[in-house]
């Protein structure tokens, strides 16, 4: 804001001061308003940049937090699957060991003999063997097999002979 022009010196002889030209005063007021508008515009732009950077920071933090939580959930579920697979593997290994033990137990000769006697199975002897001489032709010769005609086929054959003769 511009100060009014003051006349320096003795005021006794000339009491009063000179007034400014109204045109100059309006120009200075106009410049002052423009300066105030420019200051307000710059302040608003600076505030907008600050708001924008704060919003971008908040958005970045939200996205990073979401990704971290989502990935943590995926890792937790994969770890859960891994633990369940390990327990299934241990169970299957135990079952395999049990089956191997049962197989070894079942394949012992003494056990097989005891079960066959309990079922009253007969052991093979030389008397029950059947001998076959494969040097001779033990099979019958093949005869041509003719299919017998059915009643409708016989009738059609008869009619064909009658029609075409």
């Amino acid at each position: 804001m511009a100060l009014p022009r003051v006349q320096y010196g003795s005021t006794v002889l000339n009491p009063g001061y000179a007034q400014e030209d109204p045109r100059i005063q309006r120009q200075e007021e106009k410049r002052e308003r423009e300066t105030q508008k420019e200051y307000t515009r710059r302040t608003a732009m600076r505030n907008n940049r600050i708001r924008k950077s704060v919003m971008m920071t908040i958005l970045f933090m939200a996205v990073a937090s979401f990704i971290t939580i989502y990935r943590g959930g995926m890792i937790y579920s994969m770890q859960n699957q891994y633990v369940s697979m390990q327990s299934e593997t241990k169970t299957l290994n135990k079952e395999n060991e049990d089956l191997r033990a049962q197989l070894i137990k079942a394949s012992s000769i003494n056990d097989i003999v005891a079960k066959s006697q309990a079922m009253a199975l007969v052991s093979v002897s030389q008397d029950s063997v059947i001998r076959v001489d494969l040097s001779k032709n033990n099979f019958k010769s093949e005869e041509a097999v003719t299919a017998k005609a059915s009643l409708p086929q016989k009738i059609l054959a008869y009619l064909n002979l009658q029609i075409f003769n």
Side-chain angles (χ1 to χ4, degrees):
M1 179 171 188
L3 296 174
R5 291 194 180 161
V6 179
Q7 187 175 9
Y8 293 103
S10 176
T11 58
V12 175
L13 297 175
N14 191 2
Y17 53 89
Q19 286 189 337
E20 290 185 16
D21 188 17
R23 189 181 73 204
I24 295 173
Q25 191 174 8
R26 281 190 299 249
Q27 286 176 351
E28 287 180 8
E29 287 174 3
K30 184 179 177 183
R31 254 185 279 150
E32 185 179 334
R33 282 191 305 258
E34 288 174 1
T35 306
Q36 184 66 29
K37 284 181 184 179
E38 181 67 23
Y39 173 76
T40 305
R41 187 180 64 79
R42 285 184 183 168
T43 305
M45 286 176 55
R46 186 176 64 234
N47 288 343
N48 286 342
R49 275 184 273 156
I50 291 172
R51 273 192 219 118
K52 193 180 206 181
S53 66
V54 167
M55 291 303 288
M56 291 301 287
T57 304
I58 289 171
L59 179 66
F60 175 74
M61 294 300 288
V63 168
S65 299
F66 176 75
I67 290 172
T68 303
I69 291 171
Y70 179 74
R71 188 67 181 151
M74 285 178 56
I75 290 172
Y76 177 76
S77 66
M78 288 190 303
Q79 185 179 15
N80 214 5
Q81 288 176 349
Y82 175 71
V83 169
S84 66
M85 285 179 174
Q86 278 184 333
S87 65
E88 287 177 19
T89 304
K90 287 178 183 178
T91 305
L92 287 175
N93 285 337
K94 286 180 183 178
E95 288 177 8
N96 282 343
E97 289 298 321
D98 288 342
L99 288 173
R100 283 188 191 117
Q102 289 176 3
L103 183 63
I104 290 171
K105 184 178 176 183
S107 66
S108 69
I109 298 293
N110 295 333
D111 192 37
I112 294 172
V113 169
K115 286 183 180 177
S116 65
Q117 287 175 353
M119 292 180 176
L121 296 178
V122 179
S123 63
V124 178
S125 66
Q126 291 292 333
D127 300 333
S128 63
V129 173
I130 299 174
R131 299 200 190 281
V132 178
D133 184 14
L134 295 178
S135 61
K136 293 192 280 180
N137 187 4
N138 292 321
F139 301 103
K140 292 183 180 178
S141 62
E142 293 184 15
E143 295 178 11
V145 177
T146 57
K148 293 182 180 178
S150 64
L151 182 63
Q153 289 174 343
K154 288 179 184 178
I155 293 172
L156 284 175
Y158 180 73
L159 288 176
N160 281 338
L161 285 176
Q162 293 299 322
I163 293 173
F164 293 114
N165 288 335

mmCIF file of all heavy atoms in Angstrom, residues 1 16 41 71 73 81 93 101 105 112 116 123 130 146-148 151 153 157 162:
data_model
loop_
_atom_site.group_PDB
_atom_site.id
_atom_site.type_symbol
_atom_site.label_atom_id
_atom_site.label_comp_id
_atom_site.label_asym_id
_atom_site.label_seq_id
_atom_site.Cartn_x
_atom_site.Cartn_y
_atom_site.Cartn_z
ATOM 1 N N MET A 1 0.847 -1.163 0.000
ATOM 2 C CA MET A 1 0.000 0.000 0.000
ATOM 3 C C MET A 1 0.895 1.228 0.000
ATOM 4 O O MET A 1 1.834 1.294 0.795
ATOM 5 C CB MET A 1 -0.896 -0.048 1.224
ATOM 6 C CG MET A 1 -1.788 1.088 1.351
ATOM 7 S SD MET A 1 -2.911 0.691 2.679
ATOM 8 C CE MET A 1 -3.996 1.976 2.520
ATOM 9 N N GLY A 16 -0.469 22.082 5.656
ATOM 10 C CA GLY A 16 -1.182 21.162 4.778
ATOM 11 C C GLY A 16 -0.195 20.338 3.962
ATOM 12 O O GLY A 16 1.001 20.573 3.988
ATOM 13 N N ARG A 41 -3.616 -16.796 -5.835
ATOM 14 C CA ARG A 41 -3.483 -17.855 -6.827
ATOM 15 C C ARG A 41 -2.270 -18.736 -6.521
ATOM 16 O O ARG A 41 -2.357 -19.959 -6.546
ATOM 17 C CB ARG A 41 -3.352 -17.238 -8.215
ATOM 18 C CG ARG A 41 -3.379 -18.264 -9.347
ATOM 19 C CD ARG A 41 -3.240 -17.620 -10.705
ATOM 20 N NE ARG A 41 -1.972 -16.961 -10.925
ATOM 21 C CZ ARG A 41 -0.824 -17.578 -11.244
ATOM 22 N NH1 ARG A 41 -0.799 -18.874 -11.372
ATOM 23 N NH2 ARG A 41 0.277 -16.898 -11.429
ATOM 24 N N ARG A 71 -1.026 -60.505 0.103
ATOM 25 C CA ARG A 71 0.084 -61.450 -0.060
ATOM 26 C C ARG A 71 0.285 -62.261 1.223
ATOM 27 O O ARG A 71 0.591 -63.456 1.168
ATOM 28 C CB ARG A 71 1.359 -60.686 -0.437
ATOM 29 C CG ARG A 71 2.496 -61.569 -0.815
ATOM 30 C CD ARG A 71 2.210 -62.295 -2.097
ATOM 31 N NE ARG A 71 3.342 -63.149 -2.396
ATOM 32 C CZ ARG A 71 3.287 -64.267 -3.055
ATOM 33 N NH1 ARG A 71 2.148 -64.662 -3.542
ATOM 34 N NH2 ARG A 71 4.347 -64.979 -3.271
ATOM 35 N N GLY A 73 -2.035 -63.141 3.273
ATOM 36 C CA GLY A 73 -3.104 -64.146 3.264
ATOM 37 C C GLY A 73 -2.779 -65.302 2.339
ATOM 38 O O GLY A 73 -3.028 -66.468 2.676
ATOM 39 N N GLN A 81 -1.622 -75.296 3.374
ATOM 40 C CA GLN A 81 -1.626 -76.426 2.446
ATOM 41 C C GLN A 81 -0.367 -77.267 2.615
ATOM 42 O O GLN A 81 -0.425 -78.495 2.578
ATOM 43 C CB GLN A 81 -1.713 -75.936 1.000
ATOM 44 C CG GLN A 81 -3.046 -75.381 0.597
ATOM 45 C CD GLN A 81 -3.028 -74.827 -0.818
ATOM 46 O OE1 GLN A 81 -1.979 -74.682 -1.424
ATOM 47 N NE2 GLN A 81 -4.203 -74.497 -1.341
ATOM 48 N N ASN A 93 3.003 -92.661 4.567
ATOM 49 C CA ASN A 93 4.204 -93.439 4.887
ATOM 50 C C ASN A 93 3.922 -94.485 5.959
ATOM 51 O O ASN A 93 4.400 -95.619 5.869
ATOM 52 C CB ASN A 93 5.348 -92.518 5.330
ATOM 53 C CG ASN A 93 5.975 -91.787 4.165
ATOM 54 O OD1 ASN A 93 5.879 -92.231 3.027
ATOM 55 N ND2 ASN A 93 6.618 -90.665 4.447
ATOM 56 N N ALA A 101 4.641 -104.530 6.266
ATOM 57 C CA ALA A 101 4.706 -105.505 7.363
ATOM 58 C C ALA A 101 3.697 -106.624 7.142
ATOM 59 O O ALA A 101 4.002 -107.812 7.354
ATOM 60 C CB ALA A 101 4.451 -104.806 8.697
ATOM 61 N N LYS A 105 4.509 -110.562 6.507
ATOM 62 C CA LYS A 105 3.870 -111.549 7.367
ATOM 63 C C LYS A 105 3.076 -112.558 6.536
ATOM 64 O O LYS A 105 3.107 -113.768 6.801
ATOM 65 C CB LYS A 105 2.944 -110.843 8.367
ATOM 66 C CG LYS A 105 2.314 -111.761 9.370
ATOM 67 C CD LYS A 105 1.459 -110.946 10.323
ATOM 68 C CE LYS A 105 0.729 -111.848 11.301
ATOM 69 N NZ LYS A 105 -0.158 -111.088 12.170
ATOM 70 N N ILE A 112 1.423 -119.536 4.965
ATOM 71 C CA ILE A 112 0.712 -120.028 3.787
ATOM 72 C C ILE A 112 0.284 -121.477 3.992
ATOM 73 O O ILE A 112 -0.845 -121.868 3.671
ATOM 74 C CB ILE A 112 1.587 -119.871 2.526
ATOM 75 C CG1 ILE A 112 1.794 -118.394 2.226
ATOM 76 C CG2 ILE A 112 0.954 -120.576 1.338
ATOM 77 C CD1 ILE A 112 2.785 -118.118 1.122
ATOM 78 N N SER A 116 -3.564 -122.860 4.101
ATOM 79 C CA SER A 116 -4.026 -123.874 3.143
ATOM 80 C C SER A 116 -4.572 -125.105 3.857
ATOM 81 O O SER A 116 -5.536 -125.714 3.407
ATOM 82 C CB SER A 116 -2.907 -124.260 2.188
ATOM 83 O OG SER A 116 -1.859 -124.891 2.895
ATOM 84 N N SER A 123 -2.648 -130.870 -1.568
ATOM 85 C CA SER A 123 -1.326 -130.619 -2.148
ATOM 86 C C SER A 123 -1.177 -131.460 -3.414
ATOM 87 O O SER A 123 -1.770 -132.512 -3.559
ATOM 88 C CB SER A 123 -0.225 -130.947 -1.144
ATOM 89 O OG SER A 123 -0.270 -132.322 -0.827
ATOM 90 N N ILE A 130 -1.640 -134.738 -15.074
ATOM 91 C CA ILE A 130 -2.164 -135.189 -16.360
ATOM 92 C C ILE A 130 -1.091 -134.933 -17.400
ATOM 93 O O ILE A 130 -0.583 -133.816 -17.524
ATOM 94 C CB ILE A 130 -3.454 -134.439 -16.736
ATOM 95 C CG1 ILE A 130 -4.530 -134.689 -15.695
ATOM 96 C CG2 ILE A 130 -3.907 -134.830 -18.131
ATOM 97 C CD1 ILE A 130 -5.785 -133.886 -15.910
ATOM 98 N N THR A 146 -22.214 -124.197 -41.987
ATOM 99 C CA THR A 146 -23.166 -123.467 -42.820
ATOM 100 C C THR A 146 -24.334 -123.055 -41.949
ATOM 101 O O THR A 146 -24.814 -123.809 -41.117
ATOM 102 C CB THR A 146 -23.680 -124.343 -43.976
ATOM 103 O OG1 THR A 146 -24.263 -125.516 -43.424
ATOM 104 C CG2 THR A 146 -22.565 -124.695 -44.933
ATOM 105 N N ALA A 147 -24.759 -121.858 -42.187
ATOM 106 C CA ALA A 147 -25.872 -121.343 -41.404
ATOM 107 C C ALA A 147 -27.174 -121.826 -42.016
ATOM 108 O O ALA A 147 -27.340 -121.853 -43.245
ATOM 109 C CB ALA A 147 -25.838 -119.824 -41.386
ATOM 110 N N LYS A 148 -28.071 -122.240 -41.176
ATOM 111 C CA LYS A 148 -29.376 -122.689 -41.652
ATOM 112 C C LYS A 148 -30.222 -121.467 -41.962
ATOM 113 O O LYS A 148 -30.209 -120.485 -41.227
ATOM 114 C CB LYS A 148 -30.064 -123.540 -40.594
ATOM 115 C CG LYS A 148 -29.370 -124.847 -40.340
ATOM 116 C CD LYS A 148 -30.130 -125.657 -39.327
ATOM 117 C CE LYS A 148 -29.446 -126.979 -39.055
ATOM 118 N NZ LYS A 148 -30.142 -127.757 -38.033
ATOM 119 N N LEU A 151 -37.087 -119.341 -41.818
ATOM 120 C CA LEU A 151 -38.321 -119.484 -42.577
ATOM 121 C C LEU A 151 -38.569 -118.288 -43.495
ATOM 122 O O LEU A 151 -38.873 -118.471 -44.676
ATOM 123 C CB LEU A 151 -39.495 -119.715 -41.627
ATOM 124 C CG LEU A 151 -40.849 -119.929 -42.312
ATOM 125 C CD1 LEU A 151 -40.833 -121.200 -43.168
ATOM 126 C CD2 LEU A 151 -41.957 -119.973 -41.308
ATOM 127 N N GLN A 153 -36.399 -116.279 -44.835
ATOM 128 C CA GLN A 153 -35.404 -116.310 -45.906
ATOM 129 C C GLN A 153 -35.759 -117.385 -46.940
ATOM 130 O O GLN A 153 -35.578 -117.184 -48.138
ATOM 131 C CB GLN A 153 -34.005 -116.566 -45.321
ATOM 132 C CG GLN A 153 -33.456 -115.390 -44.547
ATOM 133 C CD GLN A 153 -32.145 -115.725 -43.857
ATOM 134 O OE1 GLN A 153 -31.803 -116.899 -43.691
ATOM 135 N NE2 GLN A 153 -31.442 -114.679 -43.441
ATOM 136 N N ALA A 157 -36.500 -116.601 -50.869
ATOM 137 C CA ALA A 157 -35.730 -117.295 -51.904
ATOM 138 C C ALA A 157 -36.687 -117.989 -52.878
ATOM 139 O O ALA A 157 -36.483 -117.978 -54.095
ATOM 140 C CB ALA A 157 -34.775 -118.284 -51.268
ATOM 141 N N GLN A 162 -39.473 -117.947 -58.258
ATOM 142 C CA GLN A 162 -40.725 -117.963 -59.003
ATOM 143 C C GLN A 162 -40.890 -116.718 -59.876
ATOM 144 O O GLN A 162 -41.388 -116.803 -60.985
ATOM 145 C CB GLN A 162 -41.920 -118.055 -58.042
ATOM 146 C CG GLN A 162 -42.006 -119.357 -57.296
ATOM 147 C CD GLN A 162 -42.164 -120.557 -58.232
ATOM 148 O OE1 GLN A 162 -42.862 -120.477 -59.254
ATOM 149 N NE2 GLN A 162 -41.511 -121.658 -57.920
#
